[in-house]
C-alpha cells in the first residue's frame, strides 16, 4: 500500500503564496493521474488540479492562472504552487493518485493539509 503525505499548508494572508507537497512512500505503478483536491467546511470535496502520467495538466476555473501543479518523478513528489491566494481558497487540501495495474485499480488519498487564507 502506497502512502501519500502532504505538507506545506499553513496560514497566509490574502495575496500570499504557498507550496504544497505530496510525497509518495512507494512506487506508483501504472499511474494514470495525480491530483489535488480541496474541501472547505460545509462543502463537497472538489478537484483543484491534476496532472496525468504524460504530464498534461488540468485546473479548476477558480484557480487557473494562480495555481501550478507539477511532479518530480525522481523524488516521487507532486507539488501545488499557489499564488494570489484568496480567502475562498481556505480548505483542507488532499493529494490523490489513481492508476490501473494488470491486477487492480488503485485510488490513494493523503491525510490532508490545512490551508487558511486570511483577509
Amino acid at each position: 500500500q502506497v502512502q501519500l503525505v502532504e505538507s506545506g499548508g499553513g496560514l497566509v494572508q490574502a495575496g500570499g503564496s504557498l507550496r504544497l507537497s505530496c510525497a509518495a512512500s512507494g512506487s506508483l505503478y501504472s499511474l494514470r493521474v495525480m491530483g489535488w483536491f480541496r474541501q472547505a467546511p460545509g462543502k463537497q470535496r472538489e478537484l483543484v488540479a491534476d496532472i496525468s502520467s504524460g504530464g498534461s495538466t488540468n485546473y479548476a476555473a477558480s484557480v487557473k492562472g494562480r495555481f501550478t501543479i507539477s511532479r518530480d518523478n525522481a523524488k516521487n513528489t507532486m507539488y501545488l504552487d499557489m499564488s494570489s491566494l484568496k480567502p475562498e481558497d481556505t480548505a483542507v487540501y488532499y493529494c490523490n493518485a489513481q492508476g490501473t495495474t494488470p491486477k487492480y485499480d488503485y485510488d490513494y488519498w493523503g491525510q490532508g493539509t490545512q490551508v487558511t487564507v486570511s483577509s
Side-chain angles (χ1 to χ4, degrees):
Q1 179 86 5
V2 172
Q3 288 190 328
L4 303 177
V5 179
E6 301 100 334
S7 61
L11 173 64
V12 63
Q13 287 189 330
S17 301
L18 278 176
R19 174 178 244 206
L20 304 184
S21 299
C22 170
S25 63
S27 182
L28 295 167
Y29 294 110
S30 301
L31 176 71
R32 286 188 291 106
V33 62
M34 289 189 77
W36 289 96
F37 290 74
R38 68 186 181 187
Q39 187 166 18
K43 294 188 176 182
Q44 289 189 331
R45 190 172 297 189
E46 62 175 359
L47 175 68
V48 176
D50 60 31
I51 182 166
S52 73
S53 58
S56 298
T57 58
N58 175 53
Y59 296 91
S62 59
V63 307
K64 196 172 291 186
R66 300 188 297 123
F67 291 10
T68 302
I69 189 170
S70 61
R71 199 171 73 229
D72 185 333
N73 293 329
K75 295 182 178 180
N76 230 13
T77 301
M78 178 178 66
Y79 304 97
L80 185 68
D81 288 294
M82 307 185 292
S83 62
S84 302
L85 283 162
K86 305 175 181 180
E88 51 263 44
D89 294 317
T90 295
V92 178
Y93 284 70
Y94 298 91
C95 171
N96 174 256
Q98 300 176 29
T100 301
T101 75
K103 293 187 177 180
Y104 59 90
D105 294 344
Y106 61 83
D107 185 7
Y108 300 133
W109 290 90
Q111 81 289 351
T113 185
Q114 176 71 46
V115 172
T116 303
V117 184
S118 63
S119 57

